[in-house]
C-alpha cells in the first residue's frame, strides 16, 4: 500500500551515503526508501539497472528523472520484489527513536530508532546475491544492540565502511554480506 506524505529532502545522511555508493559497481542495485532520489541517481552511474522502492508515492514522482533501465516501485521496503537478486542493496532508513516525539515518518525509525532498519533488512536479505552487499546508514541515536542481534541471528558479516561525526550524533555506514 502506497501512502502520500512529505518528501525527505537530502541532508547530511543522504549526501554521506551517496558519496559512499560511488565506490560500488555492478549489474543490479536496489535502493530501499528512495525518497528524493539523491542516492538512486548516484547508483545509476555505476549499475546497469537500478530499482528504487518507496512507500510514499509523491517521493517516487519526484524521482522520475532516470535512465530507461531504472525502475521505481511504490511498495513497503522490498516486499514487492520476487525472484530477483541484487549486487548491491542500499538504504538510508528513518533512524530516529520515536521517543524523541517525531511524528514525521521520514525520520521516525520506531520506538528505539532501529525497527524500520530491521524491517528494511528483513525484506532485503533474500534478494541479495551470494556475493552481494547491503549498505545501510545507522545513527548513534538508535539502539544498535538490536541491529547487532539481527545481524548475528541472520549470519551476516558486518563491516563498518565510514563514519561521520555531527554535533548531535554519529552516522555510520555499515556493509553487510552473507
Amino acid at each position: 500500500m502506497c501512502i502520500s506524505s512529505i518528501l525527505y529532502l537530502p541532508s547530511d545522511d543522504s549526501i554521506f551515503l551517496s558519496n559512499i555508493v560511488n565506490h560500488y559497481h555492478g549489474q543490479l542495485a536496489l535502493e530501499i526508501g528512495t525518497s528524493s532520489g539523491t542516492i538512486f541517481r548516484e547508483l545509476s552511474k555505476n549499475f546497469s539497472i537500478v530499482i528504487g522502492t518507496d512507500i510514499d508515492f509523491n517521493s517516487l514522482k519526484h524521482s522520475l528523472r532516470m535512465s530507461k533501465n531504472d525502475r521505481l516501485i511504490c511498495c513497503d521496503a522490498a516486499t514487492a520484489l520476487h525472484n530477483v537478486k541484487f549486487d548491491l542493496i542500499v538504504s538510508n532508513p528513518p533512524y530516529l527513536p520515536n521517543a524523541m516525539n517525531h511524528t514525521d515518518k521520514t525520520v521516525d525509525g520506531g520506538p528505539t530508532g532501529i525497527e524500520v532498519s530491521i524491517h528494511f533488512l528483513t525484506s532485503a536479505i533474500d534478494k541479495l546475491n551470494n556475493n552481494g552487499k547491503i549498505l545501510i546508514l545507522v545513527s548513534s541515536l538508535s539502539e544498535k544492540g538490536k541491529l547487532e542481534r539481527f545481524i548475528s541471528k541472520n549470519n551476516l558479516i558486518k563491516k563498518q565502511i565510514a563514519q561521520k561525526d555531527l554535533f548531535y550524533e554519529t552516522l555510520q555506514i555499515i556493509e553487510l554480506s552473507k
Side-chain angles (χ1 to χ4, degrees):
M1 178 173 106
C2 291
I3 61 170
S4 182
S5 65
I6 299 170
L7 174 71
Y8 179 74
L9 297 175
S11 189
D12 289 334
D13 54 356
S14 299
I15 295 164
F16 179 42
L17 185 53
S18 179
N19 289 331
I20 296 298
V21 302
N22 285 326
H23 302 288
Y24 291 80
H25 301 80
Q27 292 297 310
L28 192 56
L30 168 65
E31 182 186 11
I32 299 175
T34 300
S35 196
S36 68
T38 300
I39 297 164
F40 184 89
R41 285 186 288 281
E42 289 302 315
L43 287 168
S44 293
K45 294 176 183 177
N46 296 328
F47 287 84
S48 301
I49 299 170
V50 179
I51 297 175
T53 67
D54 204 293
I55 198 166
D56 179 38
F57 184 71
N58 287 331
S59 292
L60 293 176
K61 287 191 325 187
H62 179 79
S63 299
L64 284 177
R65 294 165 296 201
M66 58 184 176
S67 80
K68 64 179 180 173
N69 292 327
D70 297 338
R71 298 290 180 261
L72 297 171
I73 301 170
C74 190
C75 67
D76 179 21
T79 57
L81 303 172
H82 304 285
N83 302 318
V84 61
K85 299 289 184 179
F86 294 92
D87 301 315
L88 181 67
I89 300 173
V90 178
S91 186
N92 176 15
Y95 54 74
L96 293 178
N98 68 11
M100 298 176 76
N101 297 319
H102 294 283
T103 57
D104 182 350
K105 292 296 181 189
T106 64
V107 297
D108 181 354
T112 66
I114 206 70
E115 288 79 9
V116 172
S117 297
I118 290 173
H119 171 66
F120 283 11
L121 290 170
T122 300
S123 76
I125 290 174
D126 66 334
K127 286 130 181 110
L128 189 64
N129 74 28
N130 288 335
N131 297 316
K133 309 286 185 204
I134 297 174
L135 292 180
I136 191 162
L137 190 134
V138 295
S139 167
S140 60
L141 300 175
S142 300
E143 173 54 55
K144 290 192 286 185
K146 285 185 177 184
L147 180 62
E148 295 295 333
R149 289 187 291 280
F150 175 86
I151 291 168
S152 176
K153 178 182 171 186
N154 287 282
N155 298 314
L156 297 171
I157 299 165
K158 176 188 157 196
K159 179 180 175 185
Q160 183 177 321
I161 299 299
Q163 180 171 307
K164 182 173 187 164
D165 295 318
L166 303 173
F167 72 93
Y168 52 92
E169 70 182 327
T170 298
L171 300 175
Q172 291 179 335
I173 298 173
I174 59 171
E175 178 188 275
L176 303 174
S177 59
K178 293 182 177 181

